[in-house]
């Protein structure tokens, strides 16, 4: 049972490049979330999904898009990366109140 | 809207001393409240949670937290800190009617001196 798996773990992008972060969970959870973590700001919710085929905006959605085509996967896309998107990204999933977190993706945008 | 305030950015305690990390929340109804811990380079691990009932909740690693509705607080405590407790601690508030999403505080970094 792998839990929540994020790929890649590290990535460096140039400004304007695009990329997709993949989150996969094997617990059959309905709810999935993408957070970003920045020093002194805790975790801020980017987008979330309450089920397959649904997505919703969180606190800081600008510059990101998401898709939940399959229940087990939640993709986070950056269409045109900006230095302000340098951060650590965490995916989480749940079926009740306890969130299970992935180990994070460290993204640097130069 | 939900919000969480952790007033202390850094706290340093001596090994064996007691610990209290503060958390204040803002939410219209009775929220779900959580404490998570994050070690460097790791994801977040749930320490404890409060949904309803007994306002003193016990968690893993000897931690406990007390929900005080009148103060809108959910402070985390440990009677005797170990060096391995050095980490960053996050308080969070959530609600099912908001898609179960959690709002996190900015975190408190705990340093333990020997």
């Amino acid at each position: 049972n792998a839990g929540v798996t994020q790929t890649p773990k590290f990535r460096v992008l140039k400004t304007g490049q695009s990329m997709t972060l993949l989150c996969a969970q094997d617990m059959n959870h309905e709810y999935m979330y993408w957070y970003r973590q920045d020093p002194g700001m805790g975790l801020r919710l980017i987008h979330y999904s309450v089920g397959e085929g649904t997505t919703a905006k969180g606190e800081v959605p600008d510059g990101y898009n998401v898709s939940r085509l399959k229940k087990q996967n939640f993709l986070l896309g950056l269409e045109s990366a900006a230095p302000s998107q340098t951060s650590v990204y965490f995916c989480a999933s749940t079926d009740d109140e306890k969130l299970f977190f992935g180990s994070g993706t460290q993204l640097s945008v130069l | 809207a939900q919000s969480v305030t952790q007033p202390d950015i850094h706290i340093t305690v001596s090994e064996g001393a007691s610990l209290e990390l503060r958390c204040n929340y803002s939410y219209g109804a009775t929220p779900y409240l959580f404490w998570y811990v994050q070690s460097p380079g790791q994801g977040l691990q749930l320490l404890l949670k409060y949904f309803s009932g007994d306002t003193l909740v016990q968690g893993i690693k000897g931690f406990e937290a007390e929900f005080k509705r009148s103060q809108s607080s959910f402070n985390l405590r440990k009677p005797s800190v170990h060096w391995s407790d050095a980490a960053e601690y996050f308080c969070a508030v959530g609600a099912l009617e908001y898609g179960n999403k959690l709002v996190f505080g900015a975190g408190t970094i705990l340093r333990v001196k020997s």
Side-chain angles (χ1 to χ4, degrees):
Chain A
N1 189 344
V4 179
T5 303
Q6 291 182 231
T7 53
K9 295 191 184 303
F10 302 94
R11 185 73 185 268
V12 178
L13 292 178
K14 295 181 179 179
T15 298
Q17 287 185 317
S18 63
M19 78 162 294
T20 300
L21 281 67
L22 171 63
C23 177
Q25 51 96 3
D26 60 4
M27 297 170 282
N28 204 36
H29 286 166
E30 288 292 339
Y31 300 94
M32 296 187 74
Y33 311 85
W34 276 107
Y35 286 90
R36 60 176 289 173
Q37 182 178 25
D38 303 289
M41 305 190 75
L43 278 76
R44 292 179 292 168
L45 184 66
I46 304 171
H47 286 280
Y48 66 103
S49 167
V50 299
E52 181 179 315
T54 74
T55 63
K57 294 180 180 180
E59 299 172 70
V60 289
D62 294 342
Y64 304 95
N65 57 75
V66 288
S67 65
R68 183 100 182 267
L69 298 179
K70 293 182 179 180
K71 186 177 185 179
Q72 63 268 34
N73 296 336
F74 194 30
L75 279 63
L76 178 70
L78 286 73
E79 290 187 349
S80 180
S84 60
Q85 294 177 305
T86 293
S87 187
V88 180
Y89 292 85
F90 286 99
C91 176
S93 72
T94 187
D95 246 2
D96 49 31
E97 300 79 15
K98 178 182 176 181
L99 265 64
F100 290 82
F101 283 87
S103 57
T105 296
Q106 190 169 325
L107 175 65
S108 295
V109 183
L110 306 178
Chain B
Q2 306 148 267
S3 68
V4 177
T5 302
Q6 292 180 246
D8 304 305
I9 299 174
H10 297 99
I11 283 186
T12 301
V13 299
S14 298
E15 191 169 16
S18 63
L19 170 70
E20 182 169 30
L21 302 183
R22 296 183 291 165
C23 172
N24 293 96
Y25 67 91
S26 173
Y27 182 63
T30 300
Y32 299 144
L33 294 161
F34 306 82
W35 275 99
Y36 282 84
V37 61
Q38 184 182 34
S39 297
Q42 302 296 313
L44 277 75
Q45 181 183 21
L46 179 66
L47 283 176
L48 48 80
K49 58 187 178 183
Y50 171 80
F51 296 151
S52 64
D54 193 348
T55 56
L56 184 64
V57 294
Q58 303 296 321
I60 62 171
K61 304 184 180 185
F63 286 92
E64 66 178 26
E66 186 172 13
F67 170 61
K68 293 185 177 180
R69 184 190 303 275
S70 61
Q71 299 177 17
S72 297
S73 68
F74 188 57
N75 294 350
L76 181 71
R77 301 195 294 249
K78 187 170 185 179
S80 178
V81 169
H82 188 261
W83 65 266
S84 60
D85 293 325
E88 189 162 16
Y89 292 79
F90 294 94
C91 181
V93 61
L96 280 173
E97 58 263 40
Y98 292 116
N100 243 353
K101 53 186 168 55
L102 297 189
V103 173
F104 286 83
T108 298
I109 296 172
L110 173 65
R111 298 191 180 107
V112 180
K113 56 181 182 180
S114 55

